[in-house]
Amino acid sequence: MLIVFIGPPGAGKGTQCKRLIDYLKIPHLSTGDLLREARAKGNTLGQLAAQYMDQGRLVPDPLVLAMVGEKLNEPELAIGCLFDGFPRTVPQARALDEELAKRGTPLNLVLEMRADEQELIDRMLRRAALEKRADDNPQTFAHRLEVYHQQTEPLLDYYRFRGVLAMINGMGTPDEVFGRIQAAVEARRATCH
Ligand code: AP5
Ligand code: MG
């Protein structure tokens, strides 16, 4: 299955993606993780991306698409893939659709993760105390949220129109949220066969 996770920062995309990888035994692609890896290596992409990530802005589409393009050609993706944090803009969604159309494998499901804004902030503050993500601070987080509303939320209509969108309530424990995701995945699987 080809599944996209969309949601504001802190909604639980990464957390739930890990669980779904174990459940479905398919690879995943997280543009946030790839950009942080590039950054840790200090390569040109990483240096450029850091300037945007530290301000809570999206890395420009051409950079993200060049980075993802190589990954989409990996043979293991033929069995399916979980996309975490990609696509994040309408041009990225169009580019993904074109790539998948060439392979004759359209997206099966888009999971929109939702949670209350105060819960998103509380999760970010808890993680900031444990990890050192440069973009986990109140000011940058506020901008990440704004960018989500402005640039990523329009994707929801894009996917709703294609009939692949499912809303997931991201409130509650990670186990409770995963139960809802499993139900949505199984409902879609039942219609795919
Ligand atoms: P990215 O890495 O994608 O981050 P994000 O979406 O902004 O936010 P998070 O990763 O914090 O949220 P999440 O939904 O994954 O939540 P998580 O499971 O971690 O992007 C970072 C930056 O990279 C962007 O701002 C941009 O600059 C750039 N970028 C990335 N992709 C791009 C693209 N396609 N185009 C352009 N630029 C791009 O959970 C958060 C915390 O909450 C964790 O500590 C977790 O343990 C905890 N938690 C999770 N679920 C629960 C729960 N149910 N209850 C309590 N705590 C929970
Ligand atoms: Mg994440």
Side-chain angles (χ1 to χ4, degrees), residues 9-10 12-15 30 32-33 36 84-85 88 127 133 144:
K13 302 182 295 295
T15 303
S30 158
D33 288 351
R36 278 184 289 277
D84 165 8
R88 245 175 162 99
R127 184 168 62 189
R133 243 180 82 163
R144 284 161 65 197

Side-chain angles (χ1 to χ4, degrees), residues 7-16 30-33 35-36 49 52-54 56-61 64 67-68 84-89 92 113 119 123-124 126-127 130-131 133 135-136 141 144 170-175 177:
K13 302 182 295 295
T15 303
Q16 297 299 333
S30 158
T31 42
D33 288 351
L35 290 166
R36 278 184 289 277
Y52 294 91
M53 296 169 85
D54 288 355
R57 295 163 64 201
L58 292 184
V59 174
D61 289 334
V64 172
M67 175 180 81
V68 169
D84 165 8
F86 174 84
R88 245 175 162 99
T89 62
Q92 289 182 20
M113 308 279 302
E119 172 68 13
R123 289 181 188 176
M124 177 276 295
R126 280 200 295 272
R127 184 168 62 189
L130 295 170
E131 296 174 25
R133 243 180 82 163
D135 55 354
D136 276 345
F141 194 81
R144 284 161 65 197
M171 299 292 286
T173 66
D175 282 348
V177 177

